[in-house]
Amino acid sequence: MGGAGLWLDRMARGAALAAGAVLCAMALAVTLSVVLRALGRGGLRGDYELVEMGCACAAGLVLPLCQLRRGHVVITVFTAGAPPRASAALDRIWLWLAAGIWALLWLVMLRGMAETRGTGDRSMLLALPLWWGHLPALLGAAGAGAIALWQGVQPPPAPGG
């Protein structure tokens, strides 16, 4: 893997590491909030909001790595007995279709973010702009789409490889 493939691999891994960091920060925040409540000091203000936004952020950021590893659900009932060339051709078609679906999802999420930003909606306790939560999902969908497109134009693997 070189050139664009190496860059996409590094991007996907970096985004997944960022998702892991967000999840760790959420775990620390929840733990601190629970401990503070147990001590009678009340929890962290807006801890539910932080977890909600953190989950959306982490979920969006792992999409590129999932696509890179082809970790999505795959049904091989129709291709299990197919010749390798036919199976590779169907796989390529599905990758192109996946790239198109990621692009469509990106456009829908971009529109949703624009609408949310336009209304000025904010979270209840921390008054965080809600449109911020769309950014990681947009980045993730764009990354996953780029990876699916790249995977779809790669030459098929060598027989037996």
Side-chain angles (χ1 to χ4, degrees):
M1 181 183 333
L6 184 60
W7 185 88
L8 289 169
D9 180 76
R10 288 181 178 164
M11 178 275 302
R13 290 173 188 269
L17 284 172
V22 168
L23 291 172
C24 287
M26 285 184 348
L28 288 172
V30 168
T31 301
L32 179 61
S33 189
V34 168
V35 168
L36 288 173
R37 281 191 179 101
L39 295 174
R41 299 199 160 203
L44 291 178
R45 180 176 172 83
D47 56 352
Y48 290 100
E49 293 175 2
L50 293 173
V51 169
E52 182 179 30
M53 289 186 92
C55 285
C57 177
L61 290 174
V62 298
L63 293 174
L65 186 62
C66 189
Q67 180 63 49
L68 184 70
R69 300 263 173 97
R70 296 184 186 202
H72 302 294
V73 174
V74 177
I75 301 171
T76 59
V77 171
F78 301 110
T79 60
R85 291 182 78 165
S87 183
L90 284 172
D91 189 41
R92 185 176 305 274
I93 291 168
W94 283 115
L95 286 166
W96 292 336
L97 184 62
I101 291 169
W102 283 120
L104 181 62
L105 284 171
W106 185 85
L107 287 170
V108 170
M109 288 188 286
L110 182 66
R111 182 175 178 183
M113 183 183 79
E115 288 177 8
T116 304
R117 188 171 183 207
T119 62
D121 282 348
R122 294 182 168 270
S123 65
M124 183 80 72
L125 297 173
L126 298 177
L128 297 171
L130 293 182
W131 68 269
W132 288 357
H134 293 262
L135 290 174
L138 280 167
L139 293 173
I147 289 169
L149 186 61
W150 175 78
Q151 289 170 329
V153 298
Q154 292 306 296

